Amino acid sequence: MGSVGICGSDVHYLVRGAIGDFVVKAPMIMGHEASGTVAKVGKNVKNLKVGDRVAIEPGVPCKACEYCKHGRYNLCADIIFCATPPCHGNLCQYYTHAADFCFKLPDHVSLPEGALLEPLSVGVHACRRADVRLGSTVLVTGAGPIGLVSLLSAKAMGATNVIITDIMQNRLDLAKELGADHTILLDKDSDETAIVMKIHALLGKEPDKTIECSGAESSIRIAIQATKSGGVVVIVGMGKPNVTIPLVNALVREVDIRGVFRYANCYPLALEMIASGKVDVKKLITHNYTLEQTLEAFENAKTGAVRRREVGSKNSQADT
Ligand code: NAD
Ligand code: ZN
């Protein structure tokens, strides 16, 4: 293994021991945002050889069900996904994976960039589900890693006007550096209607597409109300299982609300985006640790997540 990122879900499993129906019942190796160097190949493997540096797409589906056959393998009920219990992840020295879910990195793409193909693929899939294209005006709600990769993907796919919201200024500052055209800092006094009006005023129009990446209930409501009639809202953020949304507002304006679950067939495009220089993910890397420093890395990631929740809890907008 070369580089492994720590995702919010890894921290969640460590702290809470479960995400929804996925419960950690036995010790589990973490890690699913990963890259490495091929040490050994099976006798039938033709696409890779020892020494190749690869990005590892962490979910290997059954390849036989209806979803797999239609290419929507992220919906496969039998997918084996790294670090989703009961499957081990790849934050370890050696790890075995299906060769067709390993993507050879060109020499100029680093192993850390290879690991970042995983979250970037979430952004690519979200933009594909939202049908972001040349000239799109896009609202991204939440500027965490997933909001940022959605911003990067939207820009790379031709979005010309992207606005992003968050409750933390430092996250918006990074979003601005990564190419956001506008940012909005939400605070506890912000009224939802006023926020929607501010979004429209800053963009000079209503967004065609909205990518919800905070999981906050109020943010989902804002996403629906802000999107133009006939537009699309994709929900990436996973917050409370039940939320109150302005459904009639969405239906009378034919705003499509679509779910996003991980990604399918997005690694090749995400790799092209990085390899061609269209997208630079290096700014998303904040810390580097050795494998032996894993506990320290998790402590830091955990503290960062706790700090975000504390800021959020003082804030009516932050109900994640
Ligand atoms: P994160 O917690 O780092 O980022 C969330 C961001 O939203 C934070 O910056 C936070 O300050 C901001 N936020 C909180 N309340 C807000 C509000 N009311 N308005 C605007 N911003 C607000 O998490 P992340 O790693 O970026 O992931 C984002 C979400 O996406 C999480 O809910 C995660 O579970 C989900 N996720 C979903 C998929 C999928 O396949 N659907 C994949 C990966 C992550
Ligand atoms: Zn399947």
Side-chain angles (χ1 to χ4, degrees):
M1 297 304 300
S3 288
V4 183
I6 297 181
C7 166
S9 65
D10 293 316
V11 176
H12 205 92
Y13 280 126
L14 185 71
V15 176
R16 301 264 171 86
I19 295 181
D21 294 340
F22 294 102
V23 181
V24 183
K25 294 185 178 145
M28 181 179 85
I29 297 171
M30 300 289 202
H32 62 271
E33 302 180 353
S35 62
T37 305
V38 176
K40 220 171 171 182
V41 289
K43 63 180 186 324
N44 296 325
V45 172
K46 299 206 169 52
N47 62 325
L48 298 172
K49 59 179 188 319
V50 172
D52 283 348
R53 295 152 62 258
V54 295
I56 300 170
E57 180 172 346
V60 181
C62 81
K63 305 176 190 175
C65 73
E66 180 194 329
Y67 299 110
C68 284
K69 285 184 169 171
H70 280 108
R72 297 186 72 177
Y73 61 83
N74 53 326
L75 306 179
C76 172
D78 295 320
I79 195 164
I80 291 172
F81 200 94
C82 291
T84 295
C87 306
H88 284 305
N90 46 22
L91 182 47
C92 50
Q93 274 179 296
Y94 291 94
Y95 169 81
T96 308
H97 202 71
D100 57 339
F101 280 75
C102 293
F103 297 85
K104 187 169 163 24
L105 301 173
D107 290 344
H108 67 286
V109 176
S110 66
L111 286 168
E113 288 174 295
L116 280 163
L117 283 188
E118 203 282 338
L120 184 59
S121 292
V122 177
V124 167
H125 188 57
C127 287
R128 281 177 163 173
R129 292 278 292 151
D131 195 19
V132 172
R133 53 178 74 194
L134 185 58
S136 292
T137 295
V138 178
L139 162 65
V140 178
T141 51
I146 296 298
L148 295 177
V149 291
S150 299
L151 158 71
L152 290 171
S153 303
K155 279 285 184 178
M157 290 182 186
T160 41
N161 208 354
V162 181
I163 189 164
I164 188 160
T165 68
D166 207 286
I167 52 170
M168 294 175 69
Q169 186 59 48
N170 61 338
R171 297 215 151 190
L172 293 174
D173 293 343
L174 181 54
K176 195 89 201 186
E177 250 182 80
L178 292 175
D181 299 285
H182 312 276
T183 60
I184 301 190
L185 180 66
L186 306 182
D187 65 46
K188 63 179 184 323
D189 302 321
S190 313
D191 151 83
E192 286 175 18
T193 312
I195 296 168
V196 171
M197 285 169 64
K198 195 168 172 192
I199 290 167
H200 293 166
L202 281 169
L203 287 172
K205 61 197 288 207
E206 297 170 335
D208 309 308
K209 323 281 181 188
T210 298
I211 307 175
E212 203 306 295
C213 301
S214 75
E217 180 166 354
S218 58
S219 202
I220 302 171
R221 279 196 293 272
I222 289 165
I224 293 169
Q225 293 169 74
T227 305
K228 83 167 189 197
S229 297
V232 183
V233 176
V234 294
I235 310 288
V236 189
M238 291 186 194
K240 292 193 289 190
N242 294 301
V243 293
T244 303
I245 58 162
L247 193 59
V248 173
N249 175 294
L251 82 89
V252 297
R253 298 193 304 110
E254 295 198 352
V255 171
D256 291 353
I257 303 171
R258 298 178 190 162
V260 169
F261 188 56
R262 297 173 178 155
Y263 37 75
N265 299 307
C266 293
Y267 261 65
L269 181 58
L271 178 53
E272 278 304 318
M273 281 157 61
I274 292 179
S276 64
K278 266 245 169 219
V279 159
D280 182 3
V281 287
K282 288 194 288 290
K283 284 205 173 101
L284 297 175
I285 301 168
T286 57
H287 297 73
N288 289 287
Y289 300 89
T290 62
L291 187 61
E292 292 71 25
Q293 294 169 319
T294 298
L295 274 180
E296 194 187 319
F298 267 92
E299 268 316 307
N300 261 344
K302 207 165 82 183
T303 318
V306 170
R307 206 179 305 125
R308 279 201 298 288
R309 262 202 306 282
E310 280 167 357
V311 172
S313 63
K314 286 193 220 113
N315 193 313
S316 65
Q317 303 300 326
D319 30 27
T320 44

